[in-house]
Amino acid sequence: MNKTNSGRVALVTGAANGIGRATALAFAKSGYSVVVSDIDNQAGQETVALIKAAEGDASFIRCDVSRDAEVRLLIDGTVSAYGRLDCAFNNAGIEIERCKLADGNEGVFDAIMNVNVKGVWLCMKYQIAAMLAQGGGAIVNTASVAGLIAAPKQGIYSASKHAVIGLTKTAAVEYARKNIRVNAVCPAVIDTEMFRRASTDNPEHVALAVAAHPLGRIGTVAEIAAAVLYLCSDSAGFTTGVAMPVDGGLTA
């Protein structure tokens, strides 16, 4: 393990798999103590085990980010265990919509907004309070290219990611003078378990996804993790309020 950031503490929500797990592992490799959080106890504990197997420091706290009390306990538990919270990656999110706007339903709308928007807001609410008490910190939220451009048959999801970017920019401006930086990453199609499941049901999915990216491939979870770690690092000390596309040129 690289102990460059030894003594620093990072929190990752949605860390049971995919981008969240890769980022938790990357934080640990860089020397952070990592709090892994998810609603999936087993997979979250597996992330912790992977970090410990690589001689990193990690612990698991279960949290449904759409519930105020659980988020408050997550942040309090992090600070109680480690004494501080230097970096937070608010990655927990859902994507359960595959229909045109007029064909959507209220239940799906509420489910997406509760996790993707309310969840990010609640996490930032309590993370910022902790960071104000200690004199600063860095937050990165997972948005999407769907928060930058239209997303046919994902209108509610797209709206939720536009909202994440709005929350990100507002918090960045409000707390800039308090030494708290807030940014977002906007991935395009990334090789995750979710993508593979969708590809199994639709064999043309992979070819269409590859064709949409000027680089001629989809992204990797490691590439998103690298962007998150950069935005949390001292090297990004003059960067706040940014919605960073990590998209193989798709939005260009």
Side-chain angles (χ1 to χ4, degrees):
M1 284 288 173
N2 177 358
K3 298 302 182 183
T4 301
N5 294 298
S6 181
R8 291 190 179 185
V9 179
L11 164 65
V12 180
T13 68
N17 49 53
I19 291 170
R21 173 176 285 182
T23 307
L25 288 164
F27 271 123
K29 186 176 181 180
S30 186
Y32 288 82
S33 295
V34 183
V35 175
V36 171
S37 185
D38 205 285
I39 59 170
D40 188 332
N41 286 299
Q42 181 176 341
Q45 294 286 4
E46 288 171 0
T47 300
V48 170
L50 288 169
I51 291 172
K52 290 185 175 180
E55 301 183 350
D57 180 24
S59 58
F60 176 75
I61 301 177
R62 187 192 184 281
C63 179
D64 177 346
V65 297
S66 70
R67 297 182 177 275
D68 183 287
E70 293 191 26
V71 176
R72 185 172 66 252
L73 288 173
L74 170 63
I75 307 308
D76 287 349
T78 299
V79 175
S80 176
Y82 292 101
R84 59 187 300 106
L85 174 59
D86 297 285
C87 303
F89 179 37
N90 297 318
N91 174 66
I94 58 174
E95 180 184 358
I96 56 175
E97 175 195 16
R98 287 289 185 277
C99 62
K100 290 185 177 180
L101 195 71
D103 297 323
N105 68 73
E106 185 177 11
V108 172
F109 182 95
D110 289 344
I112 291 175
M113 290 295 175
N114 278 340
V115 177
N116 291 6
V117 183
K118 182 182 177 183
V120 169
W121 170 67
L122 284 172
C123 284
M124 285 202 295
K125 173 183 172 69
Y126 291 108
Q127 290 159 1
I128 288 169
M131 290 175 179
L132 285 171
Q134 70 190 23
I139 297 171
V140 178
N141 299 317
T142 297
S144 168
V145 292
L148 299 171
I149 57 177
K153 294 188 176 180
Q154 296 181 74
I156 302 168
Y157 176 80
S158 177
S160 76
K161 294 304 185 178
H162 275 79
V164 168
I165 292 173
L167 289 170
T168 298
K169 289 179 177 292
T170 298
V173 171
E174 288 180 341
Y175 297 99
R177 298 295 178 92
K178 298 296 184 179
N179 196 34
I180 298 174
R181 296 185 300 103
V182 188
N183 294 290
V185 287
C186 299
V189 180
I190 305 299
D191 186 11
T192 62
E193 292 176 10
M194 181 186 297
F195 173 75
R196 291 186 213 113
R197 285 196 301 270
S199 301
T200 299
D201 296 335
N202 182 2
E204 295 182 356
H205 192 223
V206 175
L208 290 171
V210 168
H213 301 76
L215 284 183
R217 64 175 178 85
I218 62 173
T220 69
V221 292
E223 288 168 323
I224 306 303
V228 174
L229 259 69
Y230 165 71
L231 289 172
C232 286
S233 73
D234 294 339
S235 296
F238 199 54
T239 302
T240 196
V242 167
M244 177 187 287
V246 189
D247 66 357
L250 187 150
T251 55

